Amino acid sequence: MKYKRILLKLSGEALMGERQYGIDPKRLAEYANEIKQITEKGVQVAVVIGGGNIFRGVAGASKGMDRVQADHMGMLATVINGLALQSALEDAEIPTRLQSAVKINEVAEPFIRRKAMRHLEKGRVVIFGGGTGNPYFTTDSAAVLRAIEIHADVILKGTRVDGIYTSDPEKNADATKFDFISFDDVLRKGLKVMDTTAFTLSQENELPIIVFDMNKEGNLLKVVEGKAIGTQVNL
C-alpha cells in the first residue's frame, strides 16, 4: 500500500445514488465494501461526508435563512450521513467510530484528536461529522483540517467524475483530464477542486489531494495502492 493513513472525503450527494434526495442503502453498502477492501490491507481510514443530500447551509442562506442557523442545520445533516455510513460499515463487520464536532453525546463521540488517532491505530474506521463545528466553513475545510490533525498521508476526494478536467466534463465533451497537476496550476487555471479555504490549507501543509471516481468498483483500492487513478494534486 502506498498510503498508510488516508482521509476519504465524500459528498453528501454521493449517498443519494440514483435517488433525487436522501440516502440510498445500496450506495452505502457499495462504499462500505470499498472501504473494507483497504482496511483489510491494513490501511487506516478516516472519513468526512458532506450533507448536501439532506440540507446545504449555503442554499438555505441564499433563500433568506440566517447563514449561521443554516450552517448548523448542514452540520447536523453530516452527522445523519455519518450515522448511516457507520451502520453500513458495521453491517460489513468493520469496527467504526463516529466523532462529531458538534456535541451530540447520545449519538456520537465528541471529536478528540488523540482518541481519533488511537481508534485508527486499532484498525477502526473513524467518521468525522459536524464539519469543523463552525459556521462559514465547508466540509471540504473540515476534511483538510482533520487530515492534517491526524497526520493523514493524503486526502482522497471521491466524486462521480474520474479526476480534474480543464472544464466540467459533464457539460463540455472536449474537456481534457489532468493526471497530475500542481496546487499553483489549479489556482492559476481557476479549476474547482475544493473551496479556496480548504485548498489553500492543504497547499500550505503540503498535503496531496487525489480526485477520483468513487463509484467505480475497485477504484479506492487502486488509488491506495498507488495506481494512476484520477488526478493527483501535489506541490
Side-chain angles (χ1 to χ4, degrees), residues 107-216:
V107 171
E109 296 178 2
F111 169 68
I112 300 171
R113 173 179 170 269
R114 287 182 180 273
K115 199 168 185 179
M117 294 177 73
R118 186 65 177 145
H119 287 321
L120 292 168
E121 288 164 1
K122 288 186 174 183
R124 298 166 184 151
V125 172
V126 180
I127 303 168
F128 296 119
T132 66
N134 302 289
Y136 296 98
F137 289 91
T138 66
T139 50
D140 279 347
S141 292
V144 175
L145 178 61
R146 296 290 179 252
I148 294 165
E149 288 178 309
I150 65 171
H151 303 307
D153 299 320
V154 66
I155 293 178
L156 304 182
K157 184 165 183 180
T159 68
R160 63 187 181 190
V161 181
D162 64 343
I164 301 171
Y165 284 75
T166 51
S167 59
D168 188 344
E170 295 181 345
K171 296 178 181 177
N172 180 10
D174 295 326
T176 55
K177 176 174 167 271
F178 298 99
D179 292 326
F180 298 92
I181 190 169
S182 69
F183 282 97
D184 288 339
D185 281 345
V186 169
L187 293 172
R188 185 164 55 248
K189 295 175 186 294
L191 303 174
K192 298 296 181 184
V193 178
M194 290 181 165
D195 69 79
T196 308
T197 302
F199 193 76
T200 303
L201 184 61
S202 187
Q203 181 181 23
E204 288 176 348
N205 287 274
E206 300 181 7
L207 182 64
I209 302 166
I210 298 177
V211 180
F212 72 105
D213 182 357
M214 182 67 185
N215 296 335
K216 186 173 181 180

Side-chain angles (χ1 to χ4, degrees), residues 17-35:
E18 301 302 319
R19 301 184 176 197
Q20 298 300 311
Y21 62 89
I23 299 169
D24 180 1
K26 182 174 178 288
R27 178 56 54 82
L28 275 179
E30 291 170 355
Y31 284 175
N33 287 330
E34 292 290 305
I35 292 169

